[in-house]
Amino acid sequence: MHAIDAPTHTKWLFIVVFVTVGAFILTACGTNTSNNSATGTASTPSPTPSTTPTVQTVRGYGTAYGCPGDVVVSNAPAPANVIVRPGKGQTTFSVQPGDVLEVQMPFGIAWRSQDVSGSVIQLQSPSGYVSKPDNACIWRYVAKGTGAVKLTFTGTVLCKQNLHCVLAEMIDEFTIKVA
């Protein structure tokens, strides 16, 4: 026959009760459904972050880097399926309908792009906005149909005041194939 020591048995019972009560307290702290009886309104939880970019305009912000507008995007949109950058040796990119294509043109050049409305890709708004993490002006497109389109970006070098610099025109072309 095996004897159980009463103080040890009591200690284990106390630990089990303590853990159970602690779990109930933590569970109760995780919800916020209190009702304010004075006003008759229930408290609401804070909103969840949005995947839609928050956009505002700050005068001179984008043009200082060479972007066509002064749009500031606070929270980045969802990552693109394909990212296009000049100078990487690749000029033809293949995407599927529904894919998001992001063009990143580097700072230091005043960039312009042509209108591609009615083509197999559709420009998203805002276009040509500043992305400091990428050191680039950003254009985002959604592939809408099938076929090919040529994206042409032209730009001139940004020159600082009172400094001589060579005015140069830059042209970058990318072929986008949607299949």
Side-chain angles (χ1 to χ4, degrees), residues 129-174:
Y129 67 88
V130 171
S131 173
K132 284 190 177 181
D134 297 312
N135 289 321
C137 304
I138 305 294
W139 283 262
R140 290 174 63 96
Y141 301 88
V142 176
K144 289 291 183 183
T146 57
V149 65
K150 186 171 282 199
L151 291 176
T152 303
F153 290 85
T154 58
T156 54
V157 176
L158 293 177
C159 297
K160 295 185 180 184
Q161 285 185 336
N162 301 326
L163 291 177
H164 295 301
C165 68
V166 176
L167 292 176
E169 181 89 3
M170 308 223 17
I171 299 174
D172 280 301
E173 291 185 330
F174 308 103

Side-chain angles (χ1 to χ4, degrees), residues 40-52:
T41 60
S43 62
T44 57
S46 60
T48 57
S50 173
T51 58
T52 305

Side-chain angles (χ1 to χ4, degrees), residues 54-128:
T54 304
V55 177
Q56 64 182 20
T57 301
V58 176
R59 189 168 187 227
Y61 182 77
T63 53
Y65 295 102
C67 299
D70 294 326
V71 173
V72 178
V73 176
S74 304
N75 54 338
N81 300 95
V82 175
I83 296 177
V84 175
R85 294 182 189 102
K88 301 292 182 188
Q90 184 178 2
T91 58
T92 302
F93 298 87
S94 296
V95 296
Q96 298 175 355
D99 282 355
V100 174
L101 173 82
E102 181 174 284
V103 179
Q104 298 180 355
M105 300 306 284
F107 288 161
I109 298 170
W111 291 108
R112 296 174 307 279
S113 70
Q114 90 280 10
D115 182 21
V116 293
S117 60
S119 72
V120 297
I121 59 174
Q122 180 181 8
L123 182 63
Q124 290 185 321
S125 184
S127 63

Side-chain angles (χ1 to χ4, degrees), residues 26-42:
L26 289 175
T27 303
C29 289
T31 60
N32 185 6
T33 59
S34 64
N35 202 9
N36 187 345
S37 59
T39 61
T41 60

